[in-house]
Amino acid sequence: MAPTPQTPRTIRRLPPTLVNRIAAGEVIERPAAAIKELVENSIDAGATRVDIVLRDGGRTYISVTDDGCGMSAEELLLAVERHATSKLEGEDLLRIATLGFRGEALPSIGAVSRMTLTSRARGADAAWSLAVEGGVVGPPAPAALATGTRIEVRDLFYATPARLKFLKSERTETAAAIDTVERLAMAYPGISFTLSDDRRTPIRLSAAQGDLLDARLARLGAVLGRDFADNSVPIDAAREGVRLTGHAALPTLNKPTTQGQYLFVNGRPVRDKLLLGALRGAYADFLARDRHPMAVLFIDLPFEQVDVNVHPTKAEVRFRDSQMVRGLIVTAIRHALAQAGHRASSTVAAATIESFRPQAAPPAVPAARYPTGLGWGRAPVPATPPARLMEEAASWFAPLTVPSARPGDAGEDAAAAPEPAVRHPLGAARAQVHANYIVAQTEDGIVIVDQHAAHERLVYERMKQALIDGGVKRQGLLLPEVVELPEQAVDRLLAREAELAELGLVLEGFGPGAVVVREVPALLGQTDVQGLVRDLADELAELDQATSLRERLDAVCSSMACHGSVRSGRRLTVEEMNALLRQMEATPHSGQCNHGRPTYVELKLADIERLFGRR
Ligand code: ADP
Ligand code: MG
C-alpha cells in the first residue's frame, strides 16, 4: 500500500539483534550448516578429536566438543561479537589459511538459538561459559571443562519461526549433518570424529595413522567404504604451483548420480561446477552419459590463486585460472586410469559371487538346451569338439595377434600342466563358452572375459592411438565390395568420405543406391563389410553434421568392432584367446568397455572356495 499523509512513514534503525537474525539466515540455513561452522571452528582450533551430538536432526539440540586451543572469558565475549575473528591477519581477504575467516558463525547461530559456549583456554586453570539467547549475550560464568571447547545449541531457529518451517524431516536433517561431517572428516584424516543421536552413532572415525596419503586412503575407506579404497587409483599431479592429489575410482565402480564425488580446495569441501565438469571430461571415454565416477580430489594452491569469499557458506570458490585447474584434473585422472591398465574393479567379482550363491532349489533348465546326461548348473559342452576349434582360421585373428611376451609360453597347448602363461595377470585361456566368454586360469583364480566387450575396447584404444600416431592402417580388399543402401544413407556416408578414410575405411559412391568399399581398417581383421557399412550409416544418422567422427569415436568403433573378427558369436582358437588376453594386458583402459561395464571378472581361488563352503 502506498503511504498516505494519514499513515506517516517512519524509517527506523533495526535493532542489532534483528539485523543479526537476518544476516544469520544467509549462513545458517539448516542444522547441518551450524554443525559445519562449529566443526570448522574446532578444526581451526587445532583439535585432534571432535564429538558431535544431535537431537531431532539438530533442531532441538546440537553439541560440538573439541580438544582444541580453547578460549578465555574475554575471548568468549569477543567470539560471539559479529565480525570478530582471530583468523584474519591484516586486511587481506585473499590470504585465507583457515576454514573460518568472517567472524560470523557464532554470532549468527547465537542470534537464532539458545547457545551455550563452554571453554578452557590451553594452560588456563579454569573454564568459563557464556550463554547467548536470541542474540542477547549473558555474563561469563565459571564452569567445569577439562580441556578445549564445547558449544551447545538448543532450539535452533526458535527466534526465526519462518526458517523453522523450512526444515525437513528429522531423518533428512540428520543425513545432511552426517554428510557435512563426513566431508570434513575426509579432508582431516588425523582428527577423530564421532557423531551420535539418541539412538545411534553413525560416525565413529578414529584418527588415521601414517603419512598424509596413507592416512587419507584409510579415512576414505572408513567413510566411503572398502570398495572405494580397493578400487581407486591414487592421483598426484602438479602444475604451476597447483597440486592435485586424491583418489579416483576405476570406471567400473560408478554411480547413477554425482553423489560419490568429493572436492576439496585448500582443505575446504566445495561443490564446484567447473570441477564436476572436469571429472566428467576425465571419464568421458569410459562411462555412459548417465553414470558417474566416484572420486575424491584435493586441490591445494597458493591462497592468492583462489577466492573462497564468494559464497555465504563458503561452498563455492573462484579460481584465478580455472581452465588450468580443469586441465590439470582431466590430464591427471586420465593418466592415473591409464596406469591402471586393464584393472577392472573387484566389486565386479563381489557381484559375481553374490549371483553364484547357491539357490534353494536347482533352477529349472529346459531339457532341450542341455545334452542329456549333464546335471543342472553344468556349463553346456560346446557343440564343436576342441580340435575343430583349434583349426578355425587363425589368420582371421592375425591383425590383433601379438606374440606372447616370453618365448617358451605354452600358449599353443592350453590343456597342458601349469605353463608360464598362467603367470600373466589375465592368465592362460582354457576354454570359450557360449561363443563369447573366454575362461582363463590365473595363478590364484580364474578370469572370465567378455570377448565382444573386450574387443570393442581394444579396437577403440587402437584407433585412438593410431589417430594420434598419424593414421589408421588400412587393408585393401581383394575384391572391392558393393553395399546397397537407401539413397540418404549413401549421401550420409559420402559426406563423411574423408573422415572415414582417416579411420581406415575407404569407400566411394557407386550409382545412386550403393557404395563400393575398397579398404577397411587393418586392425579389424576379417570384416563383415556389409554389416559394418550399414551400421555406420545408421550411426551417422544419429550424429549431427557438426560433430566430427573423432569426437564420437566410441560410437564409430563399436560399430566397427561389431563386425570385426572377434565379435561375439565367433569361436576363437586358444592362440586367439591368449592373444586377446595379452592384448588386453598391454592396453590401457581395457578393464571396461566404452560404457563402463567390465570386460572381464576375476574370481580368486579363495572366492571360489568360499562358494563351495571350503572356507
Ligand atoms: P570465524 O571462524 O570466521 O573466525 P566464528 O564466529 O566461527 O568466526 O568464530 C569466532 C572466533 O571464535 C574464532 O575466530 C575463534 O577465535 C573463536 N572460536 C570459535 N570456536 C572455537 C573453538 N571451538 N575453539 C577455539 N576458539 C574458537
Ligand atoms: Mg568459524
Side-chain angles (χ1 to χ4, degrees):
M1 195 173 68
T4 62
Q6 286 84 352
T7 56
R9 198 179 65 154
T10 49
I11 296 180
R12 65 171 180 127
R13 280 210 178 79
L14 294 176
T17 48
L18 193 53
V19 173
N20 287 349
R21 277 176 211 169
I22 294 169
E26 261 195 56
V27 187
I28 309 297
E29 87 282 13
R30 67 193 299 186
I35 292 166
K36 172 172 183 287
E37 295 293 339
L38 297 176
V39 174
E40 286 185 353
N41 281 347
S42 299
I43 295 170
D44 282 343
T48 66
R49 58 169 310 133
V50 181
D51 299 298
I52 302 132
V53 178
L54 304 183
R55 241 171 263 146
D56 301 316
R59 197 173 55 78
T60 57
Y61 184 80
I62 298 168
S63 80
V64 175
T65 307
D66 66 54
D67 63 352
C69 64
M71 288 172 274
S72 66
E74 299 76 56
E75 286 170 327
L76 279 175
L77 279 167
L78 271 175
V80 297
E81 236 176 65
R82 187 158 289 276
H83 305 310
T85 175
S86 58
K87 300 172 192 174
L88 207 54
E89 280 175 27
E91 295 186 357
D92 194 350
L93 264 177
L94 282 176
R95 305 192 59 84
I96 292 166
T98 47
L99 292 168
F101 55 86
R102 294 199 188 107
E104 257 173 354
L106 291 181
S108 296
I109 298 169
V112 295
S113 70
R114 300 180 227 276
M115 176 170 76
T116 310
L117 301 82
T118 310
S119 194
R120 181 163 173 168
R122 201 161 277 159
D125 50 13
W128 289 87
S129 84
L130 190 70
V132 184
E133 247 194 76
V136 182
V137 183
L145 188 73
T147 174
T149 302
R150 169 176 301 147
I151 314 265
E152 295 172 280
V153 179
R154 293 185 173 79
D155 306 324
L156 187 64
F157 302 130
Y158 89 96
T160 48
R163 180 63 72 182
L164 201 53
K165 270 197 285 203
F166 283 100
L167 291 191
K168 308 249 167 54
S169 70
E170 173 186 348
R171 178 197 297 264
T172 307
E173 295 300 338
T174 303
I178 292 172
D179 182 62
T180 299
V181 176
E182 283 182 343
R183 279 174 196 269
L184 286 166
M186 285 188 233
Y188 297 91
I191 303 178
S192 66
F193 291 89
T194 65
L195 182 148
S196 48
D197 61 16
D198 294 336
R199 277 161 288 148
R200 18 170 239 140
T201 304
I203 297 182
R204 199 192 296 272
L205 295 166
S206 48
Q209 308 297 321
D211 68 32
L212 177 65
L213 291 185
D214 287 346
R216 198 186 263 163
L217 188 58
R219 174 59 56 90
L220 296 183
V223 174
L224 298 176
R226 272 287 300 280
D227 281 353
F228 182 77
D230 290 349
N231 296 294
S232 56
V233 291
I235 308 285
D236 192 352
R239 190 186 288 178
E240 295 169 44
V242 180
R243 174 115 187 259
L244 174 73
T245 54
H247 292 267
L250 295 171
T252 40
L253 183 67
N254 53 48
K255 294 206 152 200
T257 67
T258 56
Q259 283 218 333
Q261 302 180 347
Y262 299 88
L263 306 164
F264 300 84
V265 174
N266 287 345
R268 189 187 297 284
V270 299
R271 293 169 203 276
D272 187 286
K273 288 210 182 64
L274 167 96
L275 299 181
L276 292 177
L279 260 180
R280 172 165 283 290
Y283 282 85
D285 253 11
F286 317 113
L287 287 178
R289 292 217 157 260
D290 57 347
R291 302 299 299 181
H292 302 271
M294 287 183 76
V296 184
L297 299 180
F298 300 87
I299 296 172
D300 290 285
L301 71 179
F303 303 121
E304 55 273 13
Q305 288 198 35
V306 61
D307 187 358
V308 294
N309 194 22
V310 292
H311 191 267
T313 65
K314 299 168 281 181
E316 283 167 24
V317 293
R318 191 173 295 141
F319 294 103
R320 201 193 279 165
D321 187 351
S322 56
Q323 280 316 309
M324 188 266 285
V325 176
R326 187 193 144 88
L328 176 64
I329 295 176
V330 174
T331 329
I333 293 185
R334 289 208 174 142
H335 182 74
L337 292 176
Q339 302 268 301
H342 67 273
R343 247 178 97 193
S345 59
S346 65
T347 45
V348 175
T352 313
I353 303 242
E354 216 33 62
S355 68
F356 263 123
R357 295 258 175 254
Q359 280 122 0
V365 176
R369 279 183 52 207
Y370 288 81
T372 44
L374 283 181
W376 66 274
R378 228 165 323 151
V381 178
T384 330
R388 165 85 184 71
L389 279 180
M390 301 281 286
E391 285 161 22
E392 276 213 47
S395 58
W396 283 14
F397 192 75
L400 255 180
T401 303
V402 222
S404 265
R406 273 167 290 176
D409 268 15
E412 302 80 26
D413 185 6
E419 72 278 38
V422 168
R423 283 192 228 120
H424 290 295
L426 295 179
R430 291 292 185 231
Q432 185 195 31
V433 295
H434 291 290
N436 186 47
Y437 299 97
I438 298 168
V439 180
Q441 178 178 347
T442 61
E443 266 181 325
D444 60 350
I446 65 169
V447 161
I448 305 171
V449 176
D450 178 337
Q451 82 186 37
H452 178 85
H455 182 246
E456 198 174 301
R457 189 70 202 181
L458 292 181
V459 166
Y460 179 57
E461 289 295 335
R462 291 181 127 209
M463 277 284 186
K464 241 179 16 183
Q465 196 52 48
L467 286 173
I468 294 167
D469 296 345
V472 177
K473 280 214 182 54
R474 304 170 193 153
Q475 165 188 309
L477 295 176
L478 279 180
L479 291 176
E481 199 155 336
V482 175
V483 185
E484 290 184 19
L485 293 157
E487 253 174 73
Q488 302 99 308
V490 171
D491 292 345
R492 278 196 300 271
L493 285 164
L494 294 182
R496 303 273 190 171
E497 206 178 317
E499 278 183 281
L500 289 170
E502 202 187 16
L503 298 174
L505 186 73
V506 177
L507 48 75
E508 302 159 14
F510 195 73
V515 295
V516 57
V517 179
R518 302 200 179 275
E519 291 173 89
V520 294
L523 55 88
L524 293 184
Q526 182 80 15
T527 310
D528 158 24
V529 176
Q530 299 279 339
L532 167 58
V533 171
R534 279 177 221 286
D535 260 21
L536 273 177
D538 287 348
E539 203 61 62
L540 293 181
E542 310 217 322
L543 287 190
D544 68 68
Q545 296 287 334
T547 312
S548 74
L549 293 190
R550 273 174 182 249
E551 281 173 72
R552 288 312 315 278
L553 197 60
D554 58 332
V556 175
C557 288
S558 62
S559 301
M560 291 198 172
C562 272
H563 302 283
S565 57
V566 189
R567 68 191 189 277
S568 67
R570 236 263 300 145
R571 294 231 162 74
L572 301 180
T573 65
V574 171
E575 292 93 324
E576 288 173 326
M577 292 191 265
N578 276 321
L580 186 73
L581 299 180
R582 301 296 82 81
Q583 185 79 37
M584 287 173 71
E585 286 157 1
T587 305
H589 314 304
S590 59
Q592 67 275 321
C593 76
N594 300 344
H595 315 285
R597 290 189 298 271
T599 51
Y600 74 93
V601 293
E602 177 172 19
L603 296 181
K604 298 284 186 199
L605 210 47
D607 295 329
I608 299 172
E609 285 170 351
R610 247 200 317 272
L611 281 175
F612 290 101
R614 285 172 174 269
R615 283 198 175 211

